[in-house]
Amino acid sequence: MKRRVVLVDDHDLFLAGVRAELGDRVDVVGQAGTVAAAVALIKELDPDVVLLDVHLPDGSGDAIINQVAPERPGVRFLALSVSDAAEDVIAVIRAGARGYVTKTISGEELAAAIEQVANGDAVFSPRLAGFVLDAFRAGDRVGGDAELDELTPREREVLQLIARGYMYKEIAARLHLSVKTVESHVSNVLRKLQLSTRHELARWATEHRLI
Amino acid sequence: MPLPTFAPSSDERVIAGVCAGIAQTLAVDPTLVRLVFALLALAGGAGIILYLALWAYSRKMSVWVAAVLALVAGSLLLGALGLSDRSVLGIALIAAGLALAWRRGGSFRPDAPLSYGGVALAAVGAVVLLSGGGTSSAVLAPGAVAGALLLIAGPLVWRLALDRDAERTARIRSDERSDVAARVHDSVLQTLALIQRHANEPRRVASLARRQERELRGWLYADQPIGDESASLVAALSAAAGDVEDLHGVRVEIASAGDCPVDGPVGAVVLAAREAMTNAAKFAGVEEIDVYVEVTDEEVSVFVRDRGSGFDRSAVPADRRGLVESIEGRLERAGGRAAVVTTPGGGTEVELHVKRSAS
């Protein structure tokens, strides 16, 4: 069954491009260009996946997630952006997005990413992996749960390989793991990213008024 | 003129919340405001009338009701201070005249019509005041006239100061705008022109677009002056990647964790990474190259990876110096190490590591 997808982006040209690239690989059921319109639309349509721009004219992507998620826990969010600023991306992920891909992604890769997100897996682009490694690398903790505030050596290894451009399958082969295990490592990292009280993450989140 | 407004406070009110509302607006203790009103109330009940006036004003009732009440309050106050009725009447008339003039914006905007009614009223007040005779007005008259002048000139000066501030803000904004315009012109518009000229060469168009994107990104997000590649490792690698993209029509994706200045050994890493990207672009037969930079406290690592054809190292002719000299030799001389992992058909990854100089 094709995934029902809502696109949220304020650039019409880009929206048209994504629609064309995705073709009939997914079922694009709606699109919106503002936070307010997107919130109403997503609540109404209850899609499988929302492709979300990080910046919108009346707010940022994480505002949509915060408003929709309590009522529609089944909807998954995938951030799709040209934004290079680590804190913006981290803010959307912390709000609950299941991944981040850049707008230069090909239609085929995007469709695969949508499928992964719909299945509850996390989608990390190399760039996001770099951001996350950076955020977890140094700096002081602000108390809280140590387990959530550090990456395990294995998780670090997996993230590093993602940053180096390896796909899950390649990572699995290289580390002698199953693809499922690699996926669960990435999901764990995502969970830590969302729940961690680490100083850097907390600061980014505070700046974006998530806490 | 826009009058300052306040809302009566419903949380902390004692009577109608006027004192608390004023205190909130002025950010002072409500008790202080209440004390002032209590003292004024002793002055012939002026405080009570003034309270009513402000209450009417805050309730968005007619401004005239509030104004008249305020005038009455002022008159009571002056009366309580021991002024003759005549002086009080004169001052009240002047105040009313000034208020009327201000309402019309007379002394605030040079282009606003002067309120003749207001001026006439103030003049009548001055006449009443000055012709009043008696000791009290003799002392009071010069002071009242000076006060009136101050009331007319004060707002004008205030307005001029505001105008100057606004002008400065506008100038800063227009400076910013011309900076952005210059930037957009120098880079984005030029690139768009090039793209139009090369519209039938998709590779060139893509590489132009990507180069422009990289440049714009560097400016928007990283605050890097374009062209200043010595400042940071990531910036230097991005520039190298841009050159490789331009020359060979590939895409180079850069991910990074951490950054550092480019000094001796790190410079060697940049050059070696550039060579590795060039090799991948030339020989791997792929469209995309992944580069990952990691900077820790001890070490700088760069990974250059492609999913291309790979190669058999033993089959590379000995006179091909690229790998041995430009990558491995260079890193060794910088006190680092390079590793090349490749299999025919399985892609290639070049790893570069150097210790960070103790600083």
Side-chain angles (χ1 to χ4, degrees):
Chain A
M1 201 192 80
K2 274 194 269 185
R3 299 295 180 179
R4 298 172 66 248
V5 175
V6 165
L7 308 177
V8 181
D9 198 302
D10 55 319
H11 300 102
D12 289 338
L13 202 61
F14 179 75
L15 279 177
V18 169
R19 275 196 120 121
E21 284 249 315
L22 282 173
D24 53 3
R25 280 183 277 243
V26 300
D27 188 7
V28 178
V29 291
Q31 62 184 53
T34 60
V35 171
V39 169
L41 188 73
I42 297 165
K43 283 182 183 168
E44 185 202 324
L45 294 175
D46 197 15
D48 298 315
V49 176
V50 176
L51 279 183
L52 198 63
D53 191 3
V54 174
H55 297 288
L56 292 162
D58 57 340
S60 54
D62 46 83
I64 298 180
I65 303 181
N66 289 333
Q67 287 176 56
V68 170
E71 281 183 48
R72 294 266 182 267
V75 178
R76 314 270 190 201
F77 295 88
L78 176 60
L80 176 70
S81 172
V82 290
S83 169
D84 237 358
E87 53 269 39
D88 295 348
V89 175
I90 297 279
V92 176
I93 297 288
R94 272 178 77 96
R98 304 291 300 172
Y100 162 74
V101 291
T102 44
K103 279 182 173 175
T104 48
I105 192 171
S106 74
E108 197 177 336
E109 288 172 310
L110 183 56
I114 289 171
E115 187 59 33
Q116 264 176 302
V117 168
N119 286 330
D121 290 324
V123 174
F124 276 28
S125 62
R127 193 174 275 160
L128 175 60
F131 289 160
V132 175
L133 282 170
D134 202 23
F136 274 102
R137 202 179 39 142
D140 16 289
R141 292 212 307 268
V142 283
D145 193 340
E147 192 261 331
L148 280 175
D149 286 342
E150 297 297 336
L151 299 177
T152 66
R154 209 4 96 81
E155 285 162 357
R156 199 172 284 277
E157 219 174 345
V158 168
L159 272 195
Q160 222 174 31
L161 287 169
I162 293 175
R164 281 157 68 174
Y166 286 75
M167 294 184 297
Y168 290 2
K169 208 168 54 191
E170 297 167 320
I171 296 169
R174 196 178 156 116
L175 299 180
H176 309 292
L177 302 169
S178 71
V179 173
K180 268 240 120 25
T181 313
V182 173
E183 277 171 356
S184 83
H185 281 307
V186 179
S187 292
N188 267 336
V189 173
L190 187 76
R191 189 176 58 91
K192 288 183 179 180
L193 198 57
Q194 283 162 356
L195 300 178
S196 169
T197 54
R198 250 191 103 80
H199 186 61
E200 283 80 5
L201 297 173
R203 195 186 59 220
W204 283 339
T206 314
E207 277 169 8
H208 290 259
R209 285 181 282 280
L210 295 180
I211 302 179
Chain B
M1 70 176 270
L3 291 169
T5 57
F6 71 97
S9 165
S10 48
D11 305 335
E12 295 182 60
R13 68 192 192 137
V14 173
I15 302 170
V18 168
C19 289
I22 291 172
Q24 260 176 20
T25 309
L26 298 177
V28 295
D29 195 305
T31 315
L32 192 71
V33 182
R34 287 189 187 118
L35 199 63
V36 169
F37 273 90
L39 286 174
L40 286 177
L42 294 177
I48 296 168
I49 306 293
L50 186 64
Y51 189 95
L52 283 175
L54 288 170
W55 176 75
Y57 172 60
S58 71
R59 280 297 156 126
K60 307 273 180 286
M61 285 185 185
S62 162
V63 178
W64 294 113
V65 173
V68 168
L69 282 170
L71 267 179
V72 172
S75 308
L76 283 174
L77 182 64
L78 292 171
L81 285 175
L83 297 188
S84 66
D85 288 350
R86 208 181 165 82
S87 308
V88 171
L89 179 66
I91 292 173
L93 281 173
I94 292 175
L98 288 178
L100 204 61
W102 286 354
R103 286 287 309 161
R104 299 283 301 272
S107 69
F108 287 87
R109 289 191 311 263
D111 56 323
L114 197 61
S115 164
Y116 293 111
V119 171
L121 213 55
V124 170
V127 170
V128 170
L129 187 63
L130 294 174
S131 67
T135 46
S136 68
S137 72
V139 179
L140 196 72
V145 172
L149 278 176
L150 202 69
L151 283 171
I152 293 179
L156 196 65
V157 172
W158 174 248
R159 165 65 49 163
L160 282 177
L162 281 184
D163 277 355
R164 214 196 38 209
D165 266 11
E167 222 167 83
R168 218 180 54 208
T169 313
R171 202 171 50 236
I172 291 171
R173 204 167 290 156
S174 97
D175 281 355
E176 264 170 17
R177 191 175 306 147
S178 52
D179 186 31
V180 171
R183 174 81 52 184
V184 168
H185 179 264
D186 286 352
S187 56
V188 181
L189 289 183
Q190 303 278 14
T191 302
L192 286 175
L194 278 175
I195 285 178
Q196 289 176 43
R197 212 179 302 156
H198 296 276
N200 48 1
E201 301 166 57
R203 285 203 146 199
R204 180 129 176 80
V205 167
S207 99
L208 281 169
R210 281 187 66 77
R211 187 178 185 81
Q212 184 56 66
E213 181 194 334
R214 196 187 305 278
E215 207 179 286
L216 206 55
R217 235 181 235 298
W219 186 58
L220 287 176
Y221 300 117
D223 252 351
Q224 290 159 1
I226 294 173
D228 185 11
E229 284 132 23
S230 58
S232 103
L233 172 60
V234 175
L237 282 171
S238 301
D243 290 344
V244 173
E245 286 185 339
D246 282 357
L247 281 170
H248 303 283
V250 291
R251 281 203 312 163
V252 183
E253 286 287 347
I254 295 189
S256 64
D259 201 353
C260 67
V262 180
D263 49 15
V266 177
V269 169
V270 173
L271 292 173
R274 186 195 185 103
E275 187 67 21
M277 289 184 241
T278 307
N279 282 344
K282 270 158 96 172
F283 304 118
V286 289
E287 302 263 303
E288 189 170 321
I289 301 166
D290 285 296
V291 176
Y292 172 55
V293 195
E294 190 174 70
V295 180
T296 64
D297 291 338
E298 300 88 36
E299 201 182 47
V300 171
S301 310
V302 175
F303 302 85
V304 179
R305 179 165 188 275
D306 68 72
R307 284 201 188 79
S309 53
F311 60 95
D312 181 358
R313 275 209 80 162
S314 58
V316 174
D319 60 333
R320 286 270 308 281
R321 315 290 295 166
L323 194 56
V324 175
E325 262 309 305
S326 300
I327 298 179
E328 292 171 331
R330 184 174 268 144
L331 262 281
E332 254 168 51
R333 285 194 295 279
R337 66 204 151 82
V340 180
V341 183
T342 178
T343 47
T348 305
E349 184 166 47
V350 178
E351 295 184 19
L352 311 165
H353 305 272
V354 288
K355 295 262 173 286
R356 288 187 67 181
S357 41
S359 54

